[in-house]
Amino acid sequence: MDKTASALKPARTVHRVGVVMCRQHSLGSLGLVMDTFRMGNQVPGADRFELWRLSADGRPVDHPDGQLAIDGGLDLMARMDAVLIPSLWTEGEQAVAENAVLVEALRVLSPNVLVATLCTGAYLLAASGRLDHRPATLHWMLADAFSQKYPLVQVRAGENITDDGDVVCSGGSLAAMDGCLQVVRRLAGRDTARRVAQMMVVDEQRGPQTRYMPAYGWRRHGDREMRRIEASLVARHAEPLTLDELAALAHVSVRTLQRRFLAATGMTPIQYQQAVRIERAKDLLESEHLPVPDVAARVGYQDRVAFGRVFKKATGMTPAAWRQQRAPMVG
């Protein structure tokens, strides 16, 4: 290549990306991080990503699934453009207990370095105080326990991504892809992120976690009486059960029922019944040839208009549109 051609070639922009690694990290999440940025280096253009695997002591990590190679210690974090913390699976609290040095390093890290947490990687950043009074997300099923542990964090369990300047958080373990693409977008621009998503055969933006959250019954709790109420609401979802009837089933007052049911499930009994009805209506719309008014009646709504209004509020579309999208062969 002659000097003129060389001079016309755009200079490469190298983005240093540090990946924090400890023995609690999910290998699936870690692999998604590594693959995303390596794929980014295959995209035509001037942006390139330099990956650095970091551990608390700069030594290989003895992971339960094998020893993980390391490129350096936490002192290198300050030299990174972005630092990613992969998912800790369900061992967030254990990771915090074993990694005080890492937590402190995150606490003092310059806000000029973008930090991204993937699912429960948020535990390590929350322990540093960097998430206090700021929006964050992780897998929706783990959000309650996380909120109890770190009440100052503004947990948005329904969101797949939160982006608050120098901090990005992503939802469930496989949402690591979404978190990584957001970091690519922040470092190298939207076009590069779009091309990486295309090469990895994924949607660039998959929308909120609410698309994947069960409408009801996912919270784990130990209130036996409220579990009995939940079961009754499912079994008798089409019946016009009153709060007095439900309270009698649990041998409590209506006020106590409402307080305990909300604490156990995150919903009022009426909201829970409505969620059950809508889920059952979805099943009927997808699998049966029933007219919409008959579907409404089967799940406890005699007024088709009221049913349509509630259904659209819950799903974002009318019952007919839902049927057309989800079950196109149903006439």
Side-chain angles (χ1 to χ4, degrees):
M1 181 181 296
D2 61 32
K3 291 182 179 180
T4 302
S6 178
L8 292 175
K9 186 178 180 180
R12 285 189 171 185
T13 301
V14 177
H15 307 283
R16 289 190 166 192
V17 178
V19 185
V20 173
M21 297 166 66
C22 64
R23 73 177 192 87
Q24 287 84 12
H25 278 127
S26 158
L27 291 188
S29 181
L30 176 61
L32 282 174
V33 173
M34 305 300 288
D35 285 351
T36 301
F37 289 96
R38 286 169 176 161
M39 186 66 77
N41 288 333
Q42 305 303 312
V43 172
D47 291 281
R48 291 294 179 265
F49 302 96
E50 190 177 276
L51 283 164
W52 291 75
R53 295 163 294 190
L54 311 176
S55 68
D57 58 7
R59 298 177 180 177
V61 173
D62 290 323
H63 193 275
D65 293 314
Q67 192 175 76
L68 306 179
I70 293 297
D71 300 307
L74 301 180
D75 57 305
L76 295 176
M77 286 204 304
R79 297 166 54 188
M80 300 293 119
D81 297 300
V83 169
L84 284 88
I85 310 174
S87 169
L88 300 161
W89 194 230
T90 58
E91 298 186 49
E93 292 191 42
Q94 185 64 31
V96 169
E98 292 185 13
N99 291 278
V101 173
L102 171 55
V103 170
E104 176 61 16
L106 290 169
R107 186 185 71 80
V108 301
L109 184 63
S110 169
N112 293 326
V113 179
L114 176 64
V115 180
T117 68
L118 313 177
C119 193
T120 45
Y123 269 85
L124 289 169
L125 194 59
S128 76
R130 292 280 296 273
L131 289 180
D132 287 357
H133 310 293
R134 304 179 73 175
T137 190
L138 70 165
H139 195 288
W140 52 264
M141 186 173 284
L142 305 173
D144 284 349
F146 183 84
S147 293
Q148 292 173 11
K149 182 71 175 178
Y150 301 106
L152 296 181
V153 181
Q154 300 169 5
V155 179
R156 297 178 180 173
E159 298 299 322
N160 211 30
I161 291 286
T162 59
D163 188 328
D164 191 45
D166 60 313
V167 171
V168 170
C169 300
S170 64
S173 293
L174 293 181
M177 183 69 68
D178 304 279
C180 291
L181 288 173
Q182 181 67 6
V183 173
V184 171
R185 192 175 295 112
R186 290 283 303 275
L187 295 180
R190 182 173 298 278
D191 186 60
T192 299
R194 178 179 58 81
R195 292 189 179 192
V196 172
Q198 289 173 338
M199 292 182 73
M200 300 193 76
V201 198
V202 297
D203 292 331
E204 185 182 353
Q205 294 182 326
R206 293 187 300 148
Q209 285 198 89
T210 49
R211 292 177 57 189
Y212 309 97
M213 294 168 63
Y216 63 91
W218 61 266
R219 283 199 178 188
R220 300 174 182 176
H221 62 85
D223 193 325
R224 186 177 305 172
E225 287 78 15
M226 295 306 104
R227 287 204 302 269
R228 186 159 62 244
I229 297 300
E230 288 183 76
S232 295
L233 287 170
V234 172
R236 303 168 61 185
H237 64 272
E239 299 179 30
L241 294 171
T242 67
L243 289 175
D244 286 326
E245 290 176 291
L246 294 173
L249 290 174
H251 307 291
V252 296
S253 67
V254 168
R255 184 175 179 181
T256 297
L257 167 71
Q258 292 176 308
R259 174 179 56 80
R260 284 174 56 182
F261 196 88
L262 180 62
T265 69
M267 309 169 76
T268 67
I270 300 303
Q271 289 171 333
Y272 196 97
Q273 182 187 55
Q274 180 175 293
V276 174
R277 287 177 169 181
I278 295 302
E279 289 303 299
R280 179 57 180 149
K282 290 178 185 177
D283 292 340
L284 291 172
L285 289 166
E286 293 174 19
S287 62
E288 302 286 346
H289 293 264
L290 294 171
V292 171
D294 291 350
V295 171
R298 288 270 290 270
V299 299
Y301 291 95
Q302 300 307 314
D303 185 338
R304 175 185 177 175
V305 174
F307 167 67
R309 185 167 56 247
V310 172
F311 191 93
K312 186 172 183 179
K313 183 178 180 180
T315 66
M317 60 182 70
T318 65
W322 179 276
R323 167 175 279 167
Q324 184 176 13
Q325 183 183 85
R326 300 301 179 100
M329 298 305 295
V330 175

